[in-house]
């Protein structure tokens, strides 16, 4: 750190690094390019910064900078002038890692992935609809289904007419139910249709599989993560190839979590013989990596979609009202909730807050000398602490360590303590996936962890593992809001920490909508209102590029094989 600090050429860049506006990696890559002007250095460092935050490109013109992450006048001025300097640079080799489209500036890899995505959007929009249903029979099934409401029926009928389609809505809107009924119908009535159920996480794919009513073991149905579907692994470079998926229908759950890189690969492998159905909530957290592609598909009407507006899951309508107020930026509605609800607790006295947390934790998590059965999993899944930070005060690590210590110290010698845990890395051979929740059995007299056992609910059966068999895991009294996506609990304690730099209203919305019956929000009014004031929707130049580059894209697609 000291070396990079001493090597910073420009005083303004050094100042912004000291103030933690830029990270060390932003400075490193900027200095590596040896910018001649301070304006170039600020522009480049900011491009690296926003790319780390999941933005595909930086928009800069004389009137606008997007994203505008709390920029003061001096920084804005330097970014605008730096962008002009880059455009007018006489050194063609210096900025070869950059691509420019109109007033959008890309790191080369993001431009490449977006170009692949656009080529395949254009190709698939021209495809003739796949017709593998007995249409009359399917229409009768939909129209006569007693549990479908009007929107659900319309969504399925519309889906049958398109190769690429999205069904979206908030939590509890019936998306998963609709998908499971669709797959169940196909497995019973269309014997030769090959189906893949997939999601960005194994937990989400498994959750959907468990909702399917029958024929789960059909040879024509496979359930896997997107990484496995695309044959990705950490030891293999992911190339774009001309081979296509060998499935008639691909159903993708939790689609809001798909980043630009992943979506480009998915569409590149869809042939004209395959239908793909994306399901998700565009208001949930966007991917940590680049882009918010699913929400952009819907917002820009890139592919056909249908919105399920009714919400059935929530027993407490106050939760829905607050979630909608968050999404709609209804500051008055949010203020009224914070001022008048017993579901909100202001962070004033940290000691009092922690006492409240530990009291709830002991009530919900202090399970001793219990038989491992399905009731244990149901008990643990009734309550969860969600927090925005992985480290620091009131973070995942802080709370998990302190709650475990509190419960362990209160237990008697030889007591068997049941500890909630969460998997952090996929193990396909064990069917344990990132985000899956389980139970670890800890005996108080143990000095070694090697013989400890963990239990997971897989395909509605409890499976036992020695701790040394498990992939990476951690305690799960508290989990991050990101990790909670795709889960639901009767009661949630949601902690929104005071550092708001990287937070968005989607983070709060996702946390709130994990609760079915009750929620306790711990934060400050100032923190929540600051988050609401942020422009959190990630936009890109996809629609503009699709319109502008249509001639180029058409010539590309004529050369691409379509089986």
């Amino acid at each position: 750190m000291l070396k990079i600090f001493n090597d910073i050429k420009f005083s303004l860049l050094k100042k912004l690094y000291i103030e933690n506006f830029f990270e060390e990696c932003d400075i490193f890559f900027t200095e590596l390019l040896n910018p001649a002007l301070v304006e170039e250095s600020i522009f480049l460092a900011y491009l690296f910064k926003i790319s780390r935050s999941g933005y595909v490109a930086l928009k800069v013109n004389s009137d606008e900078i997007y994203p505008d992450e709390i920029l003061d006048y001096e920084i804005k001025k330097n970014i605008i002038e730096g962008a002009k300097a880059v455009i007018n640079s006489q050194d063609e080799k210096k900025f070869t890692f950059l691509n420019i489209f109109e007033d959008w500036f890309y790191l080369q890899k993001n431009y490449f992935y977006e170009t692949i995505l656009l080529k395949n959007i254009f190709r698939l929009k021209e495809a003739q609809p796949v017709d593998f249903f007995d249409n009359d029979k399917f229409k009768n099934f939909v129209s006569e289904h007693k549990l479908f409401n009007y929107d659900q029926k319309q969504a399925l009928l519309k889906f049958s007419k398109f190769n690429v389609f999205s069904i979206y809505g908030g939590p509890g809107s019936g998306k998963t139910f609709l998908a499971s009924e669709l797959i169940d119908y196909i497995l019973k009535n269309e014997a030769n249709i090959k189906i893949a159920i997939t999601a960005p996480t194994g937990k989400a794919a498994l959750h959907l599989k468990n909702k399917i009513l029958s024929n789960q073991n059909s040879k024509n149905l496979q359930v896997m993560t997107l990484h496995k579907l695309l044959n990705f692994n950490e030891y293999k470079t992911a190339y774009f190839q001309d081979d296509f998926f060998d499935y008639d229908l691909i159903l993708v759950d939790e689609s809001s979590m798909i980043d630009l890189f992943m979506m480009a690969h998915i569409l590149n492998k869809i042939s004209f013989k395959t239908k793909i159905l994306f399901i998700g909530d565009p208001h949930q957290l966007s991917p940590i990596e680049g882009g918010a592609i699913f929400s952009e598909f819907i917002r820009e009407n890139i592919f056909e979609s249908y919105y399920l507006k009714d919400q059935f899951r929530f027993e407490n309508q106050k939760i829905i009202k607050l979630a909608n107020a968050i999404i709609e930026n209804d500051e008055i509605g949010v203020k009224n909730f914070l001022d008048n609800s017993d579901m909100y607790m202001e962070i004033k006295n940290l000691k009092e807050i922690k006492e409240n947390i530990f009291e709830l934790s002991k009530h919900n998590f202090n399970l001793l000398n219990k038989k491992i059965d399905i009731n244990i999993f149901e008990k643990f899944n009734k309550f969860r602490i969600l927090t925005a930070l992985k480290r620091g005060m009131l973070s995942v690590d802080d709370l998990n360590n302190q709650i475990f210590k509190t419960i362990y110290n209160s237990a008697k010698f030889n007591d068997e303590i049941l500890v909630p845990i969460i998997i952090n890395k996929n193990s396909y051979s064990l069917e344990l996936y990132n985000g899956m929740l389980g139970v670890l059995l800890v005996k108080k007299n143990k000095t070694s962890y090697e013989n400890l056992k963990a239990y997971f609910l897989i395909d509605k059966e409890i499976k036992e593992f020695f701790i040394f068999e498990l992939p990476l895991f951690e305690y799960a009294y508290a989990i991050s809001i990101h990790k909670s996506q795709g889960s639901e609990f009767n009661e949630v304690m949601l902690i929104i920490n005071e550092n708001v730099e990287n937070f968005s209203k989607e983070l709060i919305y996702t946390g709130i909508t994990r609760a079915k019956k009750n929620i306790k929000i711990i934060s400050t009014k100032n923190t929540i209102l600051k988050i609401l004031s942020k422009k959190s929707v990630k936009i890109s130049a996809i629609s503009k590029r699709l319109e502008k580059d249509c001639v180029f894209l058409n010539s590309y697609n004529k050369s691409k094989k379509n089986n």
Side-chain angles (χ1 to χ4, degrees), residues 287-304:
I288 296 172
E289 301 298 331
I293 306 304
F294 179 65
S295 61
E296 194 145 17
F297 278 1
I298 290 165
R299 188 173 60 251
E300 300 295 334
N301 199 28
I302 288 173
F303 291 114
E304 294 293 328

Side-chain angles (χ1 to χ4, degrees), residues 223-234:
V223 182
M224 66 196 87
T225 64
L226 279 171
H227 284 81
K228 191 170 183 181
L229 178 71
L230 293 164
N231 199 25
F232 288 174
N233 67 60
E234 57 188 311

Side-chain angles (χ1 to χ4, degrees), residues 3-144:
K3 185 178 187 307
I4 196 171
F5 179 79
N6 291 332
D7 289 345
I8 298 175
K9 186 189 300 185
F10 300 106
S11 59
L12 178 58
L13 191 62
K14 187 177 287 190
K15 173 176 174 285
L16 293 172
Y17 175 57
I18 294 170
E19 293 173 352
N20 294 318
F21 183 77
F22 291 132
E23 297 288 338
E24 190 169 331
C25 55
D26 304 325
I27 303 298
F28 174 79
F29 286 111
T30 298
E31 293 293 297
L32 200 64
L33 295 166
N34 193 26
L37 305 169
V38 63
E39 293 87 354
E40 284 182 354
S41 74
I42 302 301
F43 166 78
L44 292 170
Y46 191 64
L47 177 59
F48 289 124
K49 174 185 172 71
I50 64 101
S51 297
R52 281 192 300 103
S53 298
Y55 291 91
V56 172
L58 171 62
K59 184 178 184 180
V60 183
N61 55 49
S62 58
D63 301 316
E64 180 186 12
I65 295 174
Y66 172 83
D68 179 350
E69 294 202 350
I70 322 172
L71 300 177
D72 63 24
Y73 174 77
E74 184 180 19
I75 301 174
K76 285 182 179 179
K77 181 182 176 183
N78 276 276
I79 291 172
I80 291 169
E81 293 304 317
K84 290 177 183 177
V86 168
I87 292 171
N88 297 324
S89 174
Q90 300 301 309
D91 188 348
E92 293 183 2
K93 294 181 180 179
K94 188 172 182 180
F95 300 115
T96 53
F97 70 95
L98 281 179
N99 288 92
I100 303 171
F101 170 76
E102 294 184 352
D103 51 2
W104 290 86
F105 296 80
Y106 294 78
L107 294 180
Q108 192 175 65
K109 66 167 188 173
N110 286 343
Y111 188 82
F112 172 72
Y113 295 148
E114 189 175 274
T115 301
I116 295 290
L117 179 76
L118 290 166
K119 289 173 180 177
N120 285 291
I121 289 172
F122 192 83
R123 175 178 67 87
L124 292 168
K125 284 171 77 73
E126 291 198 326
Q128 293 298 312
V130 178
D131 190 11
F132 56 58
F133 290 114
D134 178 329
N135 286 325
D136 291 337
K137 191 174 181 181
F138 183 67
K139 285 178 183 177
N140 287 336
F141 158 71
V142 173
S143 61
E144 293 175 6

Side-chain angles (χ1 to χ4, degrees), residues 362-377 379-380 414-419 439-442 455 462:
K362 281 193 285 186
H363 176 71
N364 289 281
F365 294 132
N366 194 14
L367 299 182
L368 304 174
N369 307 314
K370 301 285 186 182
K371 180 185 175 184
I372 302 290
D373 57 20
I374 198 164
N375 294 322
I376 294 296
F377 289 89
K379 171 73 174 173
F380 272 147
N414 277 338
D415 273 348
E416 292 184 334
I417 305 164
L418 302 185
V419 182
V439 177
L440 178 68
L441 194 152
V442 177
Y455 303 84
I462 296 172

Side-chain angles (χ1 to χ4, degrees), residues 96-265:
T96 53
F97 70 95
L98 281 179
N99 288 92
I100 303 171
F101 170 76
E102 294 184 352
D103 51 2
W104 290 86
F105 296 80
Y106 294 78
L107 294 180
Q108 192 175 65
K109 66 167 188 173
N110 286 343
Y111 188 82
F112 172 72
Y113 295 148
E114 189 175 274
T115 301
I116 295 290
L117 179 76
L118 290 166
K119 289 173 180 177
N120 285 291
I121 289 172
F122 192 83
R123 175 178 67 87
L124 292 168
K125 284 171 77 73
E126 291 198 326
Q128 293 298 312
V130 178
D131 190 11
F132 56 58
F133 290 114
D134 178 329
N135 286 325
D136 291 337
K137 191 174 181 181
F138 183 67
K139 285 178 183 177
N140 287 336
F141 158 71
V142 173
S143 61
E144 293 175 6
H145 200 296
K146 294 180 180 179
L147 298 179
F148 288 162
N149 65 15
Y150 174 80
D151 280 335
Q152 289 170 326
K153 290 179 179 181
Q154 292 302 307
L156 282 184
L157 292 173
K158 192 174 179 183
F159 151 74
S160 68
K161 299 175 184 177
F162 297 96
N163 289 359
V164 183
F165 195 76
S166 297
I167 295 177
Y168 67 102
S173 57
K175 302 183 298 294
T176 302
F177 171 69
L178 200 64
S180 66
E181 291 287 307
L182 170 65
I183 292 169
D184 194 63
Y185 168 82
I186 294 171
L187 292 175
K188 288 177 178 176
N189 295 279
E190 306 289 346
N192 297 317
I193 301 300
K194 293 177 69 176
I195 305 171
I197 295 176
T198 185
T201 66
K203 177 185 72 171
L206 199 61
H207 174 70
L208 185 56
K209 179 187 176 185
N210 289 336
K211 293 283 185 179
I212 297 172
L213 300 180
S214 66
N215 296 321
Q216 286 195 32
N217 297 317
S218 167
K219 64 180 181 180
N220 289 336
L221 174 66
Q222 291 189 311
V223 182
M224 66 196 87
T225 64
L226 279 171
H227 284 81
K228 191 170 183 181
L229 178 71
L230 293 164
N231 199 25
F232 288 174
N233 67 60
E234 57 188 311
Y235 308 109
K236 178 180 171 184
T237 303
Y239 294 107
F240 289 95
Q241 299 173 341
D242 281 339
D243 61 319
F244 295 107
F245 291 129
D246 185 26
Y247 294 101
D248 300 291
L249 172 64
I250 298 173
L251 193 150
V252 187
D253 200 11
E254 297 291 347
S255 297
S256 64
M257 298 170 69
I258 303 174
D259 61 26
L260 171 64
F261 169 79
M262 188 74 75
M263 189 65 84
H265 274 281

Side-chain angles (χ1 to χ4, degrees), residues 319 360 363-364 380-386 488-493 514-520:
I319 295 174
L360 268 173
H363 176 71
N364 289 281
F380 272 147
N381 285 329
K382 285 180 179 179
F383 172 77
R384 195 69 52 173
I385 300 168
L386 307 182
E488 60 184 42
F489 309 96
N490 286 350
E491 185 176 359
V492 164
M493 175 177 279
R514 299 311 92 204
K516 291 167 61 177
K517 293 183 178 180
N518 194 26
I519 189 165
K520 173 74 78 174

Side-chain angles (χ1 to χ4, degrees), residues 329-446:
N329 283 335
D330 179 3
E331 192 172 311
I332 294 173
V334 173
K335 277 183 177 177
N336 285 339
F337 175 88
L338 300 179
D339 288 337
N340 301 304
S341 177
D342 59 0
M343 297 160 69
Y344 170 73
M345 186 175 184
E346 184 86 3
I347 296 179
K348 290 180 181 177
N349 185 317
L350 193 59
K351 183 180 178 184
E352 182 185 345
I353 293 288
K354 286 199 169 185
E355 286 175 356
N356 193 293
I357 292 171
F358 295 148
E359 191 60 39
L360 268 173
S361 298
K362 281 193 285 186
H363 176 71
N364 289 281
F365 294 132
N366 194 14
L367 299 182
L368 304 174
N369 307 314
K370 301 285 186 182
K371 180 185 175 184
I372 302 290
D373 57 20
I374 198 164
N375 294 322
I376 294 296
F377 289 89
E378 290 174 355
K379 171 73 174 173
F380 272 147
N381 285 329
K382 285 180 179 179
F383 172 77
R384 195 69 52 173
I385 300 168
L386 307 182
T387 181
L389 294 179
K390 181 71 175 73
R391 295 178 181 84
M393 193 67 70
L394 298 179
S395 66
V396 170
D397 289 352
D398 176 42
L399 293 172
N400 278 329
N401 290 333
Q402 292 198 49
I403 294 169
F404 175 77
K405 185 178 177 182
T406 300
I407 292 174
Y408 187 87
N409 288 342
S410 66
K412 297 175 183 176
F413 190 72
N414 277 338
D415 273 348
E416 292 184 334
I417 305 164
L418 302 185
V419 182
I421 59 173
I422 187 168
I423 295 295
N424 286 334
K425 190 175 182 179
N426 292 330
S427 171
Y428 294 108
S429 61
L430 297 177
E431 295 186 279
L432 297 176
Y433 303 111
N434 185 13
M436 280 182 64
L437 294 163
V439 177
L440 178 68
L441 194 152
V442 177
K443 200 162 187 176
K444 186 158 183 179
N445 67 359
K446 288 282 185 183

